[in-house]
Amino acid sequence: MEPLPLELPADTVQRIASELRCHPTDERVALRLDEEDKLRHFKEHFHIPKMQDLPAIDLSLVNKDENAIYFSGNSLGLQPKLVKTYLEEELDKWAKMGVYGHEVGKRPWITGDETILGLMNDIVGNTFFAGQHVKPG
């Protein structure tokens, strides 16, 4: 059953629990939510820390080989797998071209801020720029 367009998350959990005839905290509800998650394919594009690699973890309480559950609101988030490639490309361009990297290549540095403004505009819309002295792309 498709969720209603304006269904609140708590209502979605209740609906699925009702369909499965179980309590909302039952693991089956979480598994169904995972199955129905239309964004789940993005997970493969990020590095997810393993429990064994985190500091201050009592490994007797967890499976050290499992992915960590990552809830950190004040961070860069999970590292996209392509970050290293992009950084290496730019460092290589800098090493080979020096200052000329500002104007040439796949991602000229001089237009970086304009590119980011355009991308941010697509994400948050023009309201983000209201009252600011910038012109979105």
Side-chain angles (χ1 to χ4, degrees):
M1 177 181 208
E2 276 292 309
L4 300 173
L6 299 175
E7 188 174 48
L8 297 172
D11 295 336
T12 302
V13 170
Q14 288 293 343
R15 177 181 51 78
I16 291 173
S18 176
E19 289 172 10
L20 296 173
R21 299 173 194 256
C22 64
H23 193 272
T25 61
D26 191 294
E27 182 180 16
R28 292 175 291 169
V29 174
L31 293 172
R32 171 74 71 80
L33 287 167
D34 284 347
E35 287 173 15
E36 293 179 5
D37 183 0
K38 292 178 179 145
L39 302 177
R40 69 182 174 274
H41 65 280
F42 284 107
K43 184 177 179 180
E44 67 193 47
H45 297 284
F46 295 88
H47 293 289
I48 302 175
K50 299 285 184 197
M51 295 300 292
Q52 66 188 357
D53 296 325
L54 300 178
I57 297 295
D58 183 347
L59 294 178
S60 70
L61 300 174
V62 297
N63 177 343
K64 66 181 179 69
D65 298 318
E66 283 187 4
N67 289 339
I69 297 173
Y70 200 80
F71 293 119
S72 184
N74 295 321
S75 78
L76 293 172
L78 295 173
Q79 184 187 91
K81 291 181 178 177
L82 285 175
V83 163
K84 190 173 189 176
T85 300
Y86 291 147
L87 287 174
E88 287 175 351
E89 287 175 4
E90 297 309 311
L91 290 171
D92 188 50
K93 180 167 83 170
W94 185 16
K96 289 179 179 176
M97 305 177 95
V99 71
Y100 295 102
H102 282 283
E103 299 172 0
V104 297
K106 204 172 3 179
R107 293 177 292 272
W109 304 328
I110 199 162
T111 60
D113 59 336
E114 295 165 13
T115 303
I116 291 169
L117 280 176
L119 293 171
M120 290 303 296
N121 189 39
D122 292 344
I123 294 170
V124 298
N126 287 329
T127 57
F128 177 76
F129 300 102
Q132 308 248 346
H133 298 288
V134 293
K135 182 179 178 190

